[in-house]
PDB file of all heavy atoms in Angstrom:
ATOM      1  N   VAL B1143     -24.274 -45.427 -36.696  1.00 96.00           N
ATOM      2  CA  VAL B1143     -24.191 -44.333 -35.692  1.00 96.00           C
ATOM      3  C   VAL B1143     -25.531 -43.513 -35.896  1.00 96.00           C
ATOM      4  O   VAL B1143     -25.863 -43.161 -37.076  1.00 96.00           O
ATOM      5  CB  VAL B1143     -23.066 -43.431 -35.876  1.00 96.00           C
ATOM      6  CG1 VAL B1143     -23.075 -42.191 -34.917  1.00 96.00           C
ATOM      7  CG2 VAL B1143     -21.758 -44.129 -35.645  1.00 96.00           C
ATOM      8  N   THR B1144     -26.341 -43.365 -34.928  1.00 97.00           N
ATOM      9  CA  THR B1144     -27.547 -42.595 -35.039  1.00 97.00           C
ATOM     10  C   THR B1144     -27.493 -41.236 -34.455  1.00 97.00           C
ATOM     11  O   THR B1144     -26.756 -41.036 -33.405  1.00 97.00           O
ATOM     12  CB  THR B1144     -28.793 -43.338 -34.433  1.00 97.00           C
ATOM     13  OG1 THR B1144     -28.520 -43.503 -33.040  1.00 97.00           O
ATOM     14  CG2 THR B1144     -28.959 -44.713 -35.039  1.00 97.00           C
ATOM     15  N   GLN B1145     -28.158 -40.231 -34.961  1.00 97.00           N
ATOM     16  CA  GLN B1145     -28.235 -38.949 -34.472  1.00 97.00           C
ATOM     17  C   GLN B1145     -29.632 -38.426 -34.492  1.00 97.00           C
ATOM     18  O   GLN B1145     -30.307 -38.575 -35.457  1.00 97.00           O
ATOM     19  CB  GLN B1145     -27.337 -37.971 -35.379  1.00 97.00           C
ATOM     20  CG  GLN B1145     -25.846 -38.248 -35.299  1.00 97.00           C
ATOM     21  CD  GLN B1145     -25.037 -37.203 -36.015  1.00 97.00           C
ATOM     22  OE1 GLN B1145     -24.369 -37.512 -37.014  1.00 97.00           O
ATOM     23  NE2 GLN B1145     -25.144 -35.907 -35.524  1.00 97.00           N
ATOM     24  N   THR B1146     -29.973 -37.696 -33.454  1.00 97.00           N
ATOM     25  CA  THR B1146     -31.278 -36.983 -33.303  1.00 97.00           C
ATOM     26  C   THR B1146     -31.071 -35.642 -32.800  1.00 97.00           C
ATOM     27  O   THR B1146     -30.112 -35.382 -31.907  1.00 97.00           O
ATOM     28  CB  THR B1146     -32.176 -37.726 -32.420  1.00 97.00           C
ATOM     29  OG1 THR B1146     -31.611 -38.032 -31.150  1.00 97.00           O
ATOM     30  CG2 THR B1146     -32.605 -39.126 -33.116  1.00 97.00           C
ATOM     31  N   PRO B1147     -31.944 -34.690 -33.196  1.00 97.00           N
ATOM     32  CA  PRO B1147     -32.814 -34.744 -34.300  1.00 97.00           C
ATOM     33  C   PRO B1147     -32.237 -34.695 -35.629  1.00 97.00           C
ATOM     34  O   PRO B1147     -31.039 -34.383 -35.686  1.00 97.00           O
ATOM     35  CB  PRO B1147     -33.719 -33.508 -34.021  1.00 97.00           C
ATOM     36  CG  PRO B1147     -32.774 -32.597 -33.503  1.00 97.00           C
ATOM     37  CD  PRO B1147     -31.819 -33.298 -32.571  1.00 97.00           C
ATOM     38  N   LYS B1148     -32.913 -34.912 -36.708  1.00 96.00           N
ATOM     39  CA  LYS B1148     -32.401 -34.791 -37.986  1.00 96.00           C
ATOM     40  C   LYS B1148     -32.245 -33.300 -38.418  1.00 96.00           C
ATOM     41  O   LYS B1148     -31.287 -33.000 -39.160  1.00 96.00           O
ATOM     42  CB  LYS B1148     -33.305 -35.546 -39.025  1.00 96.00           C
ATOM     43  CG  LYS B1148     -32.682 -35.827 -40.369  1.00 96.00           C
ATOM     44  CD  LYS B1148     -33.584 -36.724 -41.147  1.00 96.00           C
ATOM     45  CE  LYS B1148     -33.044 -36.917 -42.596  1.00 96.00           C
ATOM     46  NZ  LYS B1148     -31.715 -37.557 -42.635  1.00 96.00           N
ATOM     47  N   HIS B1149     -33.192 -32.572 -38.066  1.00 97.00           N
ATOM     48  CA  HIS B1149     -33.198 -31.104 -38.295  1.00 97.00           C
ATOM     49  C   HIS B1149     -33.532 -30.417 -37.006  1.00 97.00           C
ATOM     50  O   HIS B1149     -34.311 -30.850 -36.199  1.00 97.00           O
ATOM     51  CB  HIS B1149     -34.306 -30.783 -39.368  1.00 97.00           C
ATOM     52  CG  HIS B1149     -34.115 -31.392 -40.641  1.00 97.00           C
ATOM     53  ND1 HIS B1149     -33.282 -30.889 -41.593  1.00 97.00           N
ATOM     54  CD2 HIS B1149     -34.626 -32.557 -41.193  1.00 97.00           C
ATOM     55  CE1 HIS B1149     -33.301 -31.722 -42.714  1.00 97.00           C
ATOM     56  NE2 HIS B1149     -34.158 -32.720 -42.462  1.00 97.00           N
ATOM     57  N   LEU B1150     -32.901 -29.215 -36.870  1.00 96.00           N
ATOM     58  CA  LEU B1150     -33.265 -28.367 -35.692  1.00 96.00           C
ATOM     59  C   LEU B1150     -33.147 -26.953 -36.015  1.00 96.00           C
ATOM     60  O   LEU B1150     -32.243 -26.453 -36.648  1.00 96.00           O
ATOM     61  CB  LEU B1150     -32.182 -28.727 -34.651  1.00 96.00           C
ATOM     62  CG  LEU B1150     -32.307 -27.891 -33.304  1.00 96.00           C
ATOM     63  CD1 LEU B1150     -33.685 -28.208 -32.567  1.00 96.00           C
ATOM     64  CD2 LEU B1150     -31.220 -28.192 -32.308  1.00 96.00           C
ATOM     65  N   VAL B1151     -34.237 -26.134 -35.654  1.00 96.00           N
ATOM     66  CA  VAL B1151     -34.167 -24.752 -35.837  1.00 96.00           C
ATOM     67  C   VAL B1151     -34.298 -24.063 -34.423  1.00 96.00           C
ATOM     68  O   VAL B1151     -35.089 -24.486 -33.616  1.00 96.00           O
ATOM     69  CB  VAL B1151     -35.328 -24.203 -36.673  1.00 96.00           C
ATOM     70  CG1 VAL B1151     -35.391 -22.748 -36.917  1.00 96.00           C
ATOM     71  CG2 VAL B1151     -35.366 -24.928 -37.994  1.00 96.00           C
ATOM     72  N   MET B1152     -33.390 -23.161 -34.130  1.00 93.00           N
ATOM     73  CA  MET B1152     -33.422 -22.564 -32.850  1.00 93.00           C
ATOM     74  C   MET B1152     -33.041 -21.023 -32.895  1.00 93.00           C
ATOM     75  O   MET B1152     -32.326 -20.692 -33.799  1.00 93.00           O
ATOM     76  CB  MET B1152     -32.435 -23.299 -31.905  1.00 93.00           C
ATOM     77  CG  MET B1152     -30.907 -23.325 -32.334  1.00 93.00           C
ATOM     78  SD  MET B1152     -29.893 -24.302 -31.253  1.00 93.00           S
ATOM     79  CE  MET B1152     -29.907 -23.345 -29.738  1.00 93.00           C
ATOM     80  N   GLY B1153     -33.575 -20.358 -31.978  1.00 91.00           N
ATOM     81  CA  GLY B1153     -33.254 -18.945 -31.769  1.00 91.00           C
ATOM     82  C   GLY B1153     -31.997 -18.767 -30.999  1.00 91.00           C
ATOM     83  O   GLY B1153     -31.449 -19.751 -30.476  1.00 91.00           O
ATOM     84  N   MET B1154     -31.458 -17.616 -31.112  1.00 90.00           N
ATOM     85  CA  MET B1154     -30.137 -17.315 -30.440  1.00 90.00           C
ATOM     86  C   MET B1154     -30.164 -17.392 -28.952  1.00 90.00           C
ATOM     87  O   MET B1154     -29.128 -17.568 -28.277  1.00 90.00           O
ATOM     88  CB  MET B1154     -29.608 -15.965 -30.923  1.00 90.00           C
ATOM     89  CG  MET B1154     -29.133 -15.982 -32.392  1.00 90.00           C
ATOM     90  SD  MET B1154     -28.317 -14.505 -32.873  1.00 90.00           S
ATOM     91  CE  MET B1154     -29.682 -13.334 -33.062  1.00 90.00           C
ATOM     92  N   THR B1155     -31.399 -17.347 -28.343  1.00 90.00           N
ATOM     93  CA  THR B1155     -31.498 -17.389 -26.874  1.00 90.00           C
ATOM     94  C   THR B1155     -31.911 -18.826 -26.446  1.00 90.00           C
ATOM     95  O   THR B1155     -31.954 -19.017 -25.189  1.00 90.00           O
ATOM     96  CB  THR B1155     -32.467 -16.380 -26.366  1.00 90.00           C
ATOM     97  OG1 THR B1155     -33.745 -16.657 -27.022  1.00 90.00           O
ATOM     98  CG2 THR B1155     -32.024 -14.941 -26.704  1.00 90.00           C
ATOM     99  N   ASN B1156     -32.066 -19.739 -27.382  1.00 90.00           N
ATOM    100  CA  ASN B1156     -32.502 -20.989 -26.963  1.00 90.00           C
ATOM    101  C   ASN B1156     -31.381 -21.905 -26.423  1.00 90.00           C
ATOM    102  O   ASN B1156     -30.205 -21.603 -26.655  1.00 90.00           O
ATOM    103  CB  ASN B1156     -33.134 -21.710 -28.164  1.00 90.00           C
ATOM    104  CG  ASN B1156     -34.483 -21.244 -28.663  1.00 90.00           C
ATOM    105  OD1 ASN B1156     -34.852 -21.440 -29.780  1.00 90.00           O
ATOM    106  ND2 ASN B1156     -35.110 -20.504 -27.802  1.00 90.00           N
ATOM    107  N   LYS B1157     -31.813 -22.949 -25.653  1.00 95.00           N
ATOM    108  CA  LYS B1157     -30.900 -24.049 -25.352  1.00 95.00           C
ATOM    109  C   LYS B1157     -31.457 -25.355 -25.923  1.00 95.00           C
ATOM    110  O   LYS B1157     -32.590 -25.648 -25.745  1.00 95.00           O
ATOM    111  CB  LYS B1157     -30.850 -24.198 -23.806  1.00 95.00           C
ATOM    112  CG  LYS B1157     -30.060 -23.184 -23.055  1.00 95.00           C
ATOM    113  CD  LYS B1157     -30.040 -23.538 -21.537  1.00 95.00           C
ATOM    114  CE  LYS B1157     -29.255 -22.445 -20.803  1.00 95.00           C
ATOM    115  NZ  LYS B1157     -29.266 -22.865 -19.318  1.00 95.00           N
ATOM    116  N   LYS B1158     -30.559 -26.005 -26.668  1.00 96.00           N
ATOM    117  CA  LYS B1158     -31.028 -27.273 -27.248  1.00 96.00           C
ATOM    118  C   LYS B1158     -29.824 -28.263 -27.095  1.00 96.00           C
ATOM    119  O   LYS B1158     -28.728 -27.917 -26.850  1.00 96.00           O
ATOM    120  CB  LYS B1158     -31.287 -27.084 -28.743  1.00 96.00           C
ATOM    121  CG  LYS B1158     -32.447 -26.226 -28.959  1.00 96.00           C
ATOM    122  CD  LYS B1158     -33.831 -26.906 -28.630  1.00 96.00           C
ATOM    123  CE  LYS B1158     -35.008 -26.052 -29.052  1.00 96.00           C
ATOM    124  NZ  LYS B1158     -36.306 -26.601 -28.716  1.00 96.00           N
ATOM    125  N   SER B1159     -30.166 -29.522 -27.371  1.00 97.00           N
ATOM    126  CA  SER B1159     -29.138 -30.606 -27.359  1.00 97.00           C
ATOM    127  C   SER B1159     -29.196 -31.466 -28.577  1.00 97.00           C
ATOM    128  O   SER B1159     -30.308 -31.818 -29.039  1.00 97.00           O
ATOM    129  CB  SER B1159     -29.254 -31.395 -26.092  1.00 97.00           C
ATOM    130  OG  SER B1159     -29.050 -30.703 -24.956  1.00 97.00           O
ATOM    131  N   LEU B1160     -28.013 -31.935 -29.090  1.00 98.00           N
ATOM    132  CA  LEU B1160     -27.993 -32.918 -30.093  1.00 98.00           C
ATOM    133  C   LEU B1160     -27.520 -34.214 -29.420  1.00 98.00           C
ATOM    134  O   LEU B1160     -26.659 -34.143 -28.497  1.00 98.00           O
ATOM    135  CB  LEU B1160     -26.900 -32.529 -31.152  1.00 98.00           C
ATOM    136  CG  LEU B1160     -27.093 -31.116 -31.805  1.00 98.00           C
ATOM    137  CD1 LEU B1160     -26.001 -30.938 -32.870  1.00 98.00           C
ATOM    138  CD2 LEU B1160     -28.458 -30.840 -32.228  1.00 98.00           C
ATOM    139  N   LYS B1161     -28.130 -35.329 -29.992  1.00 98.00           N
ATOM    140  CA  LYS B1161     -27.787 -36.670 -29.415  1.00 98.00           C
ATOM    141  C   LYS B1161     -27.129 -37.552 -30.480  1.00 98.00           C
ATOM    142  O   LYS B1161     -27.589 -37.504 -31.644  1.00 98.00           O
ATOM    143  CB  LYS B1161     -29.079 -37.249 -28.823  1.00 98.00           C
ATOM    144  CG  LYS B1161     -28.963 -38.581 -28.286  1.00 98.00           C
ATOM    145  CD  LYS B1161     -30.231 -39.090 -27.638  1.00 98.00           C
ATOM    146  CE  LYS B1161     -30.203 -40.469 -27.287  1.00 98.00           C
ATOM    147  NZ  LYS B1161     -31.561 -41.002 -26.832  1.00 98.00           N
TER     148      LYS B1161
END
Side-chain angles (χ1 to χ4, degrees):
Chain B
V1143 176
T1144 59
Q1145 290 187 245
T1146 54
K1148 194 170 175 62
H1149 300 277
L1150 180 63
V1151 180
M1152 60 186 290
M1154 288 189 284
T1155 58
N1156 291 157
K1157 286 185 182 180
K1158 296 286 185 184
S1159 296
L1160 310 184
K1161 180 180 170 182

